[in-house]
């Protein structure tokens, strides 16, 4: 949509969704510059592709490795690191060299995360279940954080068991829409407003994604049911669509995901989305300086 042609009513519609627990999705019209990292020391990361029969991945093919190499190259370029390289090693490993890097931990997260984003709509008849299950999920997440430095293996195992059940309970009240991250043309991290410490992710869909986004948001607008946003099958947020979008949904192919994002977490997610998802999961098997 051309900003110059927006009338006052359209501008008001930019505040379209108020979400539970401070998360919302709205039309977006801004696009900030890409981030860059200051030069520090060099880091070499070795990643190994993982076979996952549950996802239909029973073997690692050369095509998967070539696709993964291209995706990681896009992500690294987005970090603004000069002289970086990605090489295929053997049948199932990628070696990433970052000659200048600010935060090796951030680099690990960026290159290791698969980056599969999808949008799901809440099922009919579950309107009263989301907040209850979300509160339980957040409580368990807080417990996980508290147990990070614990040596109590029994408590850690118990928390992990209820965490998996909580994740599944959240997923059970949503259904697929067909709208996924591979329909995103671009994604950027933007501040919520000038001078804000809270950040959001600005999305632009391709034609197919824009049509699906409009269809999906029209189906749940005004119903109290949420639009579930999942990354790598993990819950991110669940915005509610306003009743004013019942007829056509949110059109224009643009949206914003807001929530409890810092500049780093918003930048990482935007980078993963605009570079595309990895075709297979990877794990970091070695990290060292050079």
């Amino acid at each position: 949509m051309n900003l110059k042609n927006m009338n006052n009513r359209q501008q008001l519609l930019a505040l379209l969704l108020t979400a539970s627990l401070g998360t919302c999705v709205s039309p977006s019209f801004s696009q900030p510059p890409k981030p860059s990292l200051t030069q520090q020391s060099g880091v070499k990361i070795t990643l190994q592709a993982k076979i996952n029969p549950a996802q239909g991945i029973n073997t690692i093919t050369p095509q998967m490795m070539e696709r993964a190499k291209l995706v990681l190259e896009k992500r690294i370029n987005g970090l603004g690191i000069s002289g970086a390289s990605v090489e295929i090693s053997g049948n199932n490993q990628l070696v990433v060299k970052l000659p200048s890097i600010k935060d090796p931990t951030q680099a690990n997260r960026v290159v290791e995360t698969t980056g599969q984003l999808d949008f799901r709509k809440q099922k009919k008849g579950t309107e009263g279940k989301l907040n209850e299950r979300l509160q339980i999920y957040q409580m368990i997440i807080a417990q996980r954080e508290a147990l990070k430095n614990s040596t109590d293996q029994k408590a850690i195992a118990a928390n992990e068991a209820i965490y998996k059940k909580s994740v599944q309970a959240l997923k059970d009240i949503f259904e697929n829409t067909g709208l996924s991250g591979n329909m995103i043309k671009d994604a950027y991290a933007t501040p919520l407003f000038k001078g804000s410490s809270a950040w959001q992710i600005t999305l632009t869909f391709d034609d197919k994604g824009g049509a699906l986004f409009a269809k999906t948001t029209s189906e749940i607008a005004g119903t109290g049911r949420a639009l579930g946003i999942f990354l790598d099958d993990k819950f991110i947020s669940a915005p509610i669509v306003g009743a004013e979008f019942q007829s056509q949904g949110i059109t224009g192919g643009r949206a914003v995901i807001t929530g409890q994002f810092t500049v780093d977490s918003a930048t990482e997610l935007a980078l993963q989305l605009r570079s595309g998802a990895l075709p297979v999961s990877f794990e970091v098997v070695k990290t060292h300086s050079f």
Side-chain angles (χ1 to χ4, degrees), residues 196-238:
S196 173
S197 61
W199 284 66
Q200 61 192 11
I201 295 96
T202 301
L203 304 178
T204 304
F205 295 104
D206 61 18
D207 290 344
K208 183 179 179 181
L212 267 175
F213 186 64
K215 177 179 181 292
T216 301
T217 51
S218 71
E219 291 171 345
I220 60 174
T223 65
R225 289 182 282 124
L227 179 67
I229 304 174
F230 291 77
L231 179 68
D232 291 343
D233 209 31
K234 295 178 182 177
F235 175 87
I236 295 181
S237 60

Side-chain angles (χ1 to χ4, degrees), residues 31-48:
Q31 182 170 303
K34 295 180 181 180
S36 63
L37 298 181
T38 56
Q39 292 190 354
Q40 297 281 328
S41 58
V43 176
K44 181 179 178 181
I45 303 171
T46 302
L47 300 161
Q48 183 163 312

